[in-house]
Structures are given as C-alpha cells and as structure tokens.
Amino acid sequence: MKIGDQVSFKLEGQDFTGFIDKAYQNSFMVTFKSDDTEILDKYHDRVVINKKKLKLIKAAPETTDTEATDDEA
C-alpha cells in the first residue's frame, strides 16, 4: 500500500473507508469522513492505523519519474 490508496478499516466497531495520507514504519495516516459527531470530535477526519488492520480497496494511479522529466523538457 502507498499514499493515495483507498482503504477500508474498522474504528470503534464501525466500518470506514478513506485514503492514505502518510506512511509510517508500521502504520498509515488515513483521512476519512464520518457522519457520527462523536467520531468526528475524537478523530477530526484522520486516524493512524496499523498496516495489518487496513484492507486495500483501490490502488492509487502509478506515477513514473519519466513523466516528470518529459514535462520539464
């Protein structure tokens, strides 16, 4: 998994989906949306979750270094 991937996870007994924002050694910071005001107040649409507890839904598009060099030329 990498930054930009869409993932699913459980938080306080509820299922959520979100996007990976930042990678750490054994976990990821995930941005998600919730209609539950308690979840919103507690997590502010972001949570750090262990990699083992995430399930990949959709991978982010691959970017290559050759695309960046073509744009610069």
Side-chain angles (χ1 to χ4, degrees), residues 2-62:
K2 62 189 179 311
I3 294 173
D5 287 353
Q6 185 176 12
V7 293
S8 66
F9 58 95
K10 276 194 180 275
L11 186 62
E12 296 189 13
Q14 299 180 42
D15 293 323
F16 291 98
T17 60
F19 293 92
I20 295 175
D21 278 342
K22 189 171 183 178
Y24 299 103
Q25 187 171 358
N26 295 317
S27 57
F28 290 108
M29 180 185 294
V30 179
T31 300
F32 68 101
K33 294 289 181 193
S34 175
D35 295 331
D36 187 339
T37 54
E38 285 184 33
I39 297 283
L40 210 80
D41 289 343
K42 191 171 183 180
Y43 295 101
H44 302 284
D45 294 335
R46 288 189 178 162
V47 66
V48 175
I49 300 217
N50 187 303
K51 292 178 180 182
K52 294 177 184 177
K53 303 209 182 236
L54 293 175
K55 187 184 264 187
L56 181 66
I57 294 175
K58 184 178 178 185
E62 292 290 328

Side-chain angles (χ1 to χ4, degrees), residues 54-70:
L54 293 175
K55 187 184 264 187
L56 181 66
I57 294 175
K58 184 178 178 185
E62 292 290 328
T63 57
T64 60
D65 290 338
T66 56
E67 290 177 5
T69 56
D70 289 345

